[in-house]
CSV table of all heavy atoms in Angstrom, one decimal:
chain,number,residue,atom,x,y,z
A,1,PRO,N,0.4,9.3,-17.8
A,1,PRO,CA,-0.8,10.0,-17.6
A,1,PRO,C,-0.7,10.9,-16.4
A,1,PRO,O,0.0,10.6,-15.4
A,1,PRO,CB,-1.9,9.0,-17.4
A,1,PRO,CG,-1.2,7.7,-17.2
A,1,PRO,CD,0.2,7.8,-17.6
A,2,GLU,N,-1.3,12.1,-16.5
A,2,GLU,CA,-1.2,13.0,-15.3
A,2,GLU,C,-2.0,12.5,-14.1
A,2,GLU,O,-3.0,11.8,-14.3
A,2,GLU,CB,-1.7,14.4,-15.8
A,2,GLU,CG,-0.8,15.1,-16.8
A,2,GLU,CD,-1.3,16.4,-17.1
A,2,GLU,OE1,-1.9,17.1,-16.2
A,2,GLU,OE2,-1.2,16.9,-18.2
A,3,GLY,N,-1.5,12.9,-12.9
A,3,GLY,CA,-2.2,12.5,-11.7
A,3,GLY,C,-1.7,11.3,-11.1
A,3,GLY,O,-2.1,10.9,-10.0
A,4,THR,N,-0.9,10.5,-11.7
A,4,THR,CA,-0.4,9.3,-11.2
A,4,THR,C,0.9,9.5,-10.4
A,4,THR,O,1.4,8.6,-9.7
A,4,THR,CB,-0.2,8.2,-12.2
A,4,THR,OG1,0.7,8.7,-13.2
A,4,THR,CG2,-1.5,7.8,-12.9
A,5,GLY,N,1.6,10.6,-10.6
A,5,GLY,CA,2.8,10.8,-9.9
A,5,GLY,C,4.0,10.5,-10.7
A,5,GLY,O,3.9,10.0,-11.8
A,6,ALA,N,5.2,10.7,-10.2
A,6,ALA,CA,6.4,10.5,-11.0
A,6,ALA,C,6.9,9.0,-10.9
A,6,ALA,O,7.6,8.6,-11.7
A,6,ALA,CB,7.5,11.4,-10.5
A,7,LEU,N,6.4,8.3,-9.9
A,7,LEU,CA,6.9,6.9,-9.7
A,7,LEU,C,5.7,5.9,-10.0
A,7,LEU,O,4.6,6.2,-9.7
A,7,LEU,CB,7.4,6.7,-8.3
A,7,LEU,CG,8.5,7.5,-7.8
A,7,LEU,CD1,8.9,7.3,-6.4
A,7,LEU,CD2,9.8,7.3,-8.7
A,8,ARG,N,6.1,4.8,-10.5
A,8,ARG,CA,5.2,3.8,-10.9
A,8,ARG,C,5.5,2.5,-10.1
A,8,ARG,O,6.7,2.2,-10.0
A,8,ARG,CB,5.3,3.5,-12.4
A,8,ARG,CG,4.1,2.7,-12.9
A,8,ARG,CD,4.2,2.7,-14.4
A,8,ARG,NE,5.5,2.4,-15.0
A,8,ARG,CZ,5.8,1.2,-15.5
A,8,ARG,NH1,4.8,0.3,-15.6
A,8,ARG,NH2,6.9,0.9,-16.0
A,9,GLU,N,4.6,1.8,-9.5
A,9,GLU,CA,4.8,0.6,-8.7
A,9,GLU,C,5.1,-0.5,-9.7
A,9,GLU,O,4.4,-0.8,-10.6
A,9,GLU,CB,3.6,0.3,-7.9
A,9,GLU,CG,3.8,-0.8,-7.0
A,9,GLU,CD,2.5,-1.1,-6.1
A,9,GLU,OE1,1.6,-1.8,-6.6
A,9,GLU,OE2,2.4,-0.6,-5.0
A,10,VAL,N,6.2,-1.2,-9.3
A,10,VAL,CA,6.6,-2.4,-10.1
A,10,VAL,C,6.6,-3.6,-9.2
A,10,VAL,O,7.4,-3.6,-8.3
A,10,VAL,CB,8.0,-2.2,-10.8
A,10,VAL,CG1,8.4,-3.4,-11.6
A,10,VAL,CG2,8.0,-0.9,-11.7
A,11,LEU,N,5.9,-4.7,-9.6
A,11,LEU,CA,5.9,-5.9,-8.8
A,11,LEU,C,6.6,-7.0,-9.7
A,11,LEU,O,6.3,-7.1,-10.8
A,11,LEU,CB,4.5,-6.3,-8.5
A,11,LEU,CG,3.7,-5.4,-7.5
A,11,LEU,CD1,2.3,-5.9,-7.4
A,11,LEU,CD2,4.4,-5.3,-6.2
A,12,PRO,N,7.5,-7.8,-9.0
A,12,PRO,CA,8.1,-8.8,-9.8
A,12,PRO,C,7.2,-10.0,-10.2
A,12,PRO,O,6.3,-10.3,-9.4
A,12,PRO,CB,9.2,-9.3,-8.9
A,12,PRO,CG,8.8,-9.0,-7.5
A,12,PRO,CD,7.9,-7.7,-7.7
A,13,LYS,N,7.4,-10.5,-11.3
A,13,LYS,CA,6.5,-11.7,-11.7
A,13,LYS,C,7.1,-13.0,-11.3
A,13,LYS,O,6.4,-14.0,-11.1
A,13,LYS,CB,6.4,-11.6,-13.2
A,13,LYS,CG,5.6,-10.4,-13.7
A,13,LYS,CD,5.3,-10.5,-15.2
A,13,LYS,CE,4.8,-9.2,-15.7
A,13,LYS,NZ,3.7,-8.7,-15.9
A,14,GLN,N,8.4,-13.0,-11.0
A,14,GLN,CA,9.1,-14.2,-10.4
A,14,GLN,C,9.9,-13.8,-9.2
A,14,GLN,O,10.3,-12.6,-9.1
A,14,GLN,CB,10.0,-14.8,-11.5
A,14,GLN,CG,9.4,-15.5,-12.6
A,14,GLN,CD,10.4,-16.1,-13.5
A,14,GLN,OE1,11.5,-15.6,-13.6
A,14,GLN,NE2,10.0,-17.1,-14.3
A,15,GLY,N,10.2,-14.8,-8.4
A,15,GLY,CA,11.1,-14.5,-7.2
A,15,GLY,C,10.3,-14.1,-6.0
A,15,GLY,O,9.1,-14.2,-5.9
A,16,GLN,N,11.0,-13.6,-5.1
A,16,GLN,CA,10.4,-13.2,-3.8
A,16,GLN,C,10.3,-11.7,-3.7
A,16,GLN,O,11.1,-10.9,-4.2
A,16,GLN,CB,11.3,-13.7,-2.6
A,16,GLN,CG,11.3,-15.1,-2.5
A,16,GLN,CD,12.2,-15.6,-1.3
A,16,GLN,OE1,12.9,-14.8,-0.7
A,16,GLN,NE2,12.0,-16.8,-0.8
A,17,LEU,N,9.3,-11.3,-3.0
A,17,LEU,CA,9.0,-9.8,-2.8
A,17,LEU,C,9.4,-9.6,-1.4
A,17,LEU,O,8.9,-10.2,-0.4
A,17,LEU,CB,7.6,-9.5,-3.0
A,17,LEU,CG,7.2,-8.0,-2.8
A,17,LEU,CD1,7.9,-7.1,-3.7
A,17,LEU,CD2,5.7,-7.9,-2.9
A,18,SER,N,10.3,-8.7,-1.1
A,18,SER,CA,10.7,-8.3,0.3
A,18,SER,C,10.3,-6.9,0.6
A,18,SER,O,10.4,-6.0,-0.2
A,18,SER,CB,12.2,-8.5,0.4
A,18,SER,OG,12.9,-7.5,-0.3
A,19,VAL,N,9.8,-6.8,1.8
A,19,VAL,CA,9.4,-5.5,2.3
A,19,VAL,C,10.2,-5.1,3.5
A,19,VAL,O,10.4,-5.9,4.4
A,19,VAL,CB,7.9,-5.5,2.7
A,19,VAL,CG1,7.4,-4.2,3.2
A,19,VAL,CG2,7.0,-5.9,1.5
A,20,GLU,N,10.8,-3.9,3.5
A,20,GLU,CA,11.7,-3.5,4.6
A,20,GLU,C,11.0,-2.5,5.5
A,20,GLU,O,11.7,-2.0,6.4
A,20,GLU,CB,13.0,-3.0,4.0
A,20,GLU,CG,13.8,-4.0,3.2
A,20,GLU,CD,15.1,-3.5,2.7
A,20,GLU,OE1,15.5,-2.4,3.2
A,20,GLU,OE2,15.7,-4.1,1.9
A,21,ASP,N,9.8,-2.2,5.3
A,21,ASP,CA,9.1,-1.2,6.2
A,21,ASP,C,8.4,-1.9,7.3
A,21,ASP,O,7.2,-1.9,7.5
A,21,ASP,CB,8.1,-0.4,5.4
A,21,ASP,CG,8.7,0.5,4.4
A,21,ASP,OD1,9.9,0.9,4.7
A,21,ASP,OD2,8.1,1.0,3.5
A,22,THR,N,9.2,-2.6,8.1
A,22,THR,CA,8.6,-3.3,9.3
A,22,THR,C,8.8,-2.4,10.5
A,22,THR,O,9.9,-1.8,10.7
A,22,THR,CB,9.2,-4.7,9.5
A,22,THR,OG1,10.6,-4.5,9.7
A,22,THR,CG2,9.0,-5.6,8.4
A,23,ALA,N,7.8,-2.4,11.4
A,23,ALA,CA,8.0,-1.6,12.6
A,23,ALA,C,8.9,-2.3,13.6
A,23,ALA,O,8.7,-3.5,13.8
A,23,ALA,CB,6.6,-1.4,13.2
A,24,ALA,N,9.8,-1.6,14.1
A,24,ALA,CA,10.7,-2.2,15.1
A,24,ALA,C,10.8,-1.3,16.3
A,24,ALA,O,10.5,-0.1,16.3
A,24,ALA,CB,12.1,-2.3,14.5
A,25,MET,N,11.2,-1.9,17.4
A,25,MET,CA,11.3,-1.1,18.7
A,25,MET,C,12.5,-0.3,18.6
A,25,MET,O,13.6,-0.7,18.1
A,25,MET,CB,11.4,-2.1,19.9
A,25,MET,CG,10.1,-2.8,20.2
A,25,MET,SD,10.1,-3.9,21.6
A,25,MET,CE,11.1,-3.0,22.8
A,26,VAL,N,12.4,0.9,19.1
A,26,VAL,CA,13.6,1.8,19.1
A,26,VAL,C,14.0,2.0,20.6
A,26,VAL,O,13.1,2.4,21.4
A,26,VAL,CB,13.2,3.2,18.5
A,26,VAL,CG1,14.4,4.2,18.7
A,26,VAL,CG2,12.8,3.1,17.1
A,27,LEU,N,15.2,1.6,20.9
A,27,LEU,CA,15.7,1.7,22.3
A,27,LEU,C,16.2,3.1,22.6
A,27,LEU,O,16.9,3.7,21.8
A,27,LEU,CB,16.8,0.7,22.5
A,27,LEU,CG,16.4,-0.8,22.3
A,27,LEU,CD1,17.6,-1.7,22.5
A,27,LEU,CD2,15.3,-1.2,23.2
């Protein structure tokens, strides 16, 4: 459908979900 963009969010039904967008200190 139009308006949703080219990418669709997919969440796993089994296993672990990992997120790599954590804020870290930059030296």
